[in-house]
Amino acid sequence: MNGQKDYNTKIDYYVSHFQYDSAYYFTQKGIKENKEDSQLKANYYIRYAKILKSLSKADSCFYFLDKAENYYKKEKDTNEIFHILTLRSEISRYLVKQNLANSYIYNAEKLFKKNTNLQYKYYFLNRRMAILAEYYNTTPDSLNKVKEIGKIILENAAEIKDKAIIVYTLNEIGYLDFNRNPENALPYFLKAYKVAKEYDIKIAFIDVCINLGRFYQQKKIDINSASKYYQEAVNQAKIINNLWQIQQCYNELKNINTLDNNFKEAMLYGDSLNEINQKISLYSSNKKYEILENKIIIDLKEKQLKTTKKNIYYLFTVLFISLLGFFILIFYSKKIQQKNKLLEKLSEENQFLISETNHRVNNNLQLITLLIADTLRKKQNEENKNDFIRILSKIETIASLHRHLYKNKNKNEIALNEYLFEIKNNFNDIAKDKNINIDFVIDDLKIHSDDAMYLGLLITELIINSIKYAFIENQEKKITVNIKKELQSLHFDYKDNGKTSINKEIHPKLIHQLCLQLEVEYTIDTSNGFQLSFLKK
C-alpha cells in the first residue's frame, strides 16, 4: 500500500448505514491521498461512482468509471471491466438513456463467460433483467427471458451475498404480472418484502412496499392494506432520509386518502409533500457536493499547471541567464496567475448559474407534469381528460428537449433519434391502453435545437390527433413516423391507418402553424388514412 491509508472499512460502514455524505467524504479522501494510479485508487473510483448515484448525481459517475476502466484495461482485468460495463448500463438506465443502457449491457454480456466473479455475474443478470422488464415488457420473448434470468438468480439465492439482488429480482418478476395477472404478482411482492425486511435492505424494501401499496389500492381496492404498506415505506425512507422516496410515498398517501374521501389526511400529506418538494429543490441548489467533487479535478489540473510553469521557468532561465530576465518572468507569471484566477472564478460562477437555472427549470417542469397527471387521475369527463393529456404530452415533449440540451456540450443541436424516441416512450401507456401500434424509424442525425422543439411538438400533436380522432373501434390501429436524411435535406413522413379520415379534407390549424415555424411546405394525403409529409433543407 506504500504507506497510504485504506478508507474502505469506513466507507463500508457509512454505506451500510446509508450515510452517503460521510462515505462520499472518505472516498474522496482516499482518491486524493493515493498518489499513484494503483488498484486501490481504481477501486475508490468505482465506489465513488456508486455513491454519486446514491446521491442522485448520476451524471458525474461516468468520469470516475472512465478512470477506473483505464487502469483495469492496462491490467487486462476482465472481471472489473465486466463489472464497470454493468454499472455504466445501470447508471444509463437511471438517467433514462435507453440506447446507452442497451449498448453497455450488451458489451458486458460479451465478457460474461470470461468472468470468474460470481457476485458480479449475479449483479449483471439482475440488471439485464431490469432493462428487459423496463424497455421490452410488451415483447413475449423478452418476458420469457426475464423469467428465465429470474429463475437462475432465485435458484442460486443462497450464494448471492448482496441480498438486494434477490429482492429486486422478485420485485421485477412480480411487476411483470402486475397488470397481466395480478394474482401471480402478489406472492413475488410478498416474498421480496420478507427478504428485504429480514436483511434490512431499506431502499429495496421501500420500493417493494410502494408496489404492494399500489397492488392493494388498484387491484384489490383495499385502502387499509395499501395505506399500511405506504406508511411502512415512508417510515423507512425517513430513517435513511431519502427525500425522493419520501416524496413518492407522500404523494401516494395523499392520493389514496383523497380517493377514500379522507380529505383531512389528504391535506396533511399534501402539506408534507410540499415541504419535501421544497427540501429537494433546496438540495438541488446546494453546491457543496459539486465543490468537493470538482476539487479532485481542480487538484489534477493545478498539478499539470505547476508542471507547465516549471518548464516555462527553466526555458526562460536558459534563454536569458540573467537576473533581469528572472524578475521579468516572475512578474509576468504573477500577472498570468491573477488573470487565470479571475477567469477561473468567473467561469465557476457562470457554470454555477447555468447549472442552477437548469435544475430549477427541470424541477419546475417535473412539478407541472406531476400536478397535471394528478389532476388527470381525478377527471371523470373523457373530453376533459383528452385536453389534459394533450397539455401533459406537450409539456413532456418540451421537458425532454430541455434535458437533452442541458446535458449536451453543444447547446445548439441535439441527437434527433434519442429525443424523438423519448417522446415516443411518453405515449407507450396510452397506446397500449387503446391497442395502437406506434412505430418510429429515425435516422441517426443531429439538428438545431429550435427545429427539434417544433418537430417534437408537431409529432406530439399528430399522435394525439390520431389517437383521438383517427380510428374506429375494431380496426387494426397503426401509427408510423419515418424521418430519413436525404443529401442535405430531412424527409419527414407521418402516417396513420385510421378509417375516419379517408378521402376527407383535413386542415389542422396548429399543425399548420408548427410547419410554418419549421419553414416547410407540407402535403396531406387521406386516401388510405392520414399522411403528412414534407422535405426540410
Side-chain angles (χ1 to χ4, degrees), residues 357-475:
T357 301
N358 282 325
H359 277 300
R360 291 182 184 278
V361 170
N362 192 42
N363 286 343
N364 287 335
L365 285 171
Q366 288 179 350
L367 182 59
I368 291 167
T369 302
L370 285 171
L371 290 171
I372 294 174
D374 189 43
T375 304
L376 185 59
R377 283 194 294 272
K378 299 174 185 177
K379 292 292 180 183
Q380 299 299 321
N381 186 284
E382 190 65 27
E383 184 176 348
N384 288 341
K385 279 191 176 184
N386 287 332
D387 290 339
F388 276 97
I389 290 170
R390 186 182 294 269
I391 294 169
L392 182 60
S393 298
K394 290 174 183 177
I395 291 174
E396 287 175 339
T397 297
I398 294 169
S400 296
L401 179 69
H402 176 261
R403 282 196 298 275
H404 280 272
L405 282 177
Y406 88 77
K407 289 174 184 176
N408 282 357
K409 290 182 180 179
N410 185 346
K411 305 301 181 186
N412 291 322
E413 64 178 22
I414 68 169
L416 187 62
N417 187 296
E418 292 180 10
Y419 170 52
L420 294 185
F421 269 93
E422 189 168 333
I423 291 174
K424 175 182 178 292
N425 290 338
N426 291 337
F427 287 95
N428 282 348
D429 288 339
I430 191 168
K432 181 181 176 183
D433 183 54
K434 294 184 178 292
N435 198 26
I436 300 171
N437 180 31
I438 301 178
D439 186 32
F440 276 31
V441 180
I442 315 292
D443 277 357
D444 188 12
L445 54 93
K446 293 185 177 181
I447 67 170
H448 194 275
S449 56
D450 287 345
D451 289 337
M453 180 183 71
Y454 291 122
L455 202 56
L457 289 171
L458 175 63
I459 290 173
T460 300
E461 182 66 15
L462 286 167
I463 292 176
I464 290 171
N465 286 347
S466 292
I467 291 173
K468 189 174 180 182
Y469 304 113
F471 306 105
I472 62 175
E473 185 61 30
N474 296 318
Q475 76 164 109

Side-chain angles (χ1 to χ4, degrees), residues 39 47 66 87 102 120 154 333 367 413 415 455:
Q39 184 174 355
R47 302 206 73 173
D66 283 344
L87 288 171
N102 280 329
Y120 288 173
L154 297 178
S333 178
L367 182 59
E413 64 178 22
L455 202 56

Side-chain angles (χ1 to χ4, degrees), residues 129 145-155 169 173:
M129 177 184 178
K145 186 68 175 176
V146 168
K147 291 182 178 180
E148 179 185 322
I149 294 172
K151 184 179 179 183
I152 293 170
I153 293 173
L154 297 178
E155 285 176 349
T169 298
I173 296 173

